Amino acid sequence: MTASRLKELRLENNYTMQEVAKKMNLKSRGTYSDIEHGKNILTSINALNLANLYNVSLDYIYGLSNNKDNKNLINSNELDTVLEMELHTTVNRLQVLI
C-alpha cells in the first residue's frame, strides 16, 4: 500500500523520482525508486519528509487513512505497528530472493 501511495503522490505533484530524491536529500534516484517500489524500507524520517513534501498525513502515506488531511497524524503506536508490517513484508521479499 505504501509504495502505491508514494507513486500516486509523486505523479499527482508532477515530480520525477529524481526530483523527489533531491528534495529528500537521498543519495540517488535509485534510492528513492527502491523505496517507491517497496524494495527498500521507508524509514519514519523519510515518511515524515514525504508527508511534509506532499502536505499529507503520515496516516495517508502508510495507507491507514484515505484522508490526505495532514492534521490527522498517526500516533506512535500505530507508526510502530506499520513499520513492523513493512519490515515483515521486506524480510519476506528478501527470503524469496535468497
Side-chain angles (χ1 to χ4, degrees), residues 47-79:
L48 183 59
N49 288 338
L50 287 165
N52 286 332
L53 174 65
Y54 297 127
N55 197 30
V56 296
S57 68
L58 286 171
D59 289 357
Y60 188 79
I61 293 283
Y62 284 115
L64 298 174
S65 170
N66 290 325
N67 183 355
K68 293 181 182 180
D69 184 359
N70 66 357
K71 294 180 181 123
N72 182 19
L73 297 177
I74 191 171
N75 71 44
S76 61
N77 291 333
E78 290 172 325
L79 180 58

Side-chain angles (χ1 to χ4, degrees), residues 10-87:
R10 180 177 57 79
L11 295 175
E12 280 179 6
N13 287 274
N14 297 313
Y15 289 136
T16 64
M17 286 187 183
Q18 180 70 37
E19 290 170 324
V20 174
K22 186 174 182 178
K23 289 177 183 294
M24 292 178 61
N25 295 317
L26 297 175
K27 291 181 182 181
S28 69
R29 173 202 161 285
T31 302
Y32 177 74
S33 176
D34 287 348
I35 293 170
E36 188 174 287
H37 289 102
K39 295 178 184 175
N40 213 353
I41 296 171
L42 176 63
T43 65
S44 56
I45 297 298
N46 284 338
L48 183 59
N49 288 338
L50 287 165
N52 286 332
L53 174 65
Y54 297 127
N55 197 30
V56 296
S57 68
L58 286 171
D59 289 357
Y60 188 79
I61 293 283
Y62 284 115
L64 298 174
S65 170
N66 290 325
N67 183 355
K68 293 181 182 180
D69 184 359
N70 66 357
K71 294 180 181 123
N72 182 19
L73 297 177
I74 191 171
N75 71 44
S76 61
N77 291 333
E78 290 172 325
L79 180 58
D80 288 343
T81 301
V82 170
L83 292 175
E84 286 178 25
M85 290 181 345
E86 290 289 329
L87 178 60

